[in-house]
Amino acid sequence: MRQQTEVLKKTIETVEDLNTLVASVEKARQSSKDFRSKILLTEEEAALLLHVSQSFMRENRYRGEPPVYYKLGSVVRYDYFDLMDYIDSCQRHSTSEGSSS
């Protein structure tokens, strides 16, 4: 039970950190129309932002499917704006439309 509590605390801290990051990115974006610097997120942060599992992120990388990512040595990172573009590309207006994976 204690281990589950610790995992839950860590998850809550990560979500709070992600919310803080998103708020600061949005504030910077509003202050400058040309704002498009790279805001690199970890796999865990990207998965939280997309509401998917980390294994989903890994499987998509392996299959060469979106979202795009950056490989910095042995470290994998996702750009915040690329993730927002990916979310936009997944928008559907009908169940008869194909998927965009």
Side-chain angles (χ1 to χ4, degrees):
M1 183 70 163
R2 183 175 181 191
Q3 185 178 14
Q4 291 174 332
T5 303
E6 292 301 317
V7 169
L8 181 59
K9 284 181 183 178
K10 176 66 176 158
T11 301
I12 290 169
E13 289 172 8
T14 302
V15 170
E16 289 172 350
D17 290 346
L18 186 57
N19 288 338
T20 301
L21 173 67
V22 170
S24 65
V25 167
E26 291 303 325
K27 184 177 179 181
R29 176 183 259 181
Q30 290 172 1
S31 68
S32 172
K33 292 187 181 221
D34 295 328
F35 183 76
R36 180 67 186 189
S37 62
K38 300 288 182 210
I39 310 274
L40 299 180
L41 306 178
T42 65
E43 178 183 272
E44 179 182 17
E45 292 167 332
L48 282 169
L49 185 67
L50 297 177
H51 300 279
V52 299
S53 66
Q54 288 184 42
S55 64
F56 172 86
M57 305 300 284
R58 290 184 200 116
E59 290 168 11
N60 277 22
R61 278 199 314 269
Y62 177 76
R63 292 190 302 253
E65 295 178 2
V68 296
Y69 65 95
Y70 295 86
K71 185 82 174 190
L72 309 169
S74 62
V75 177
V76 173
R77 293 291 183 261
Y78 294 87
D79 179 46
Y80 172 82
F81 295 107
D82 290 341
L83 294 172
M84 294 298 101
D85 291 343
Y86 171 68
I87 290 170
D88 288 343
S89 75
C90 293
Q91 182 179 26
R92 298 291 175 265
H93 299 282
S94 166
T95 57
S96 63
E97 293 181 64
S99 69
S100 71
S101 304

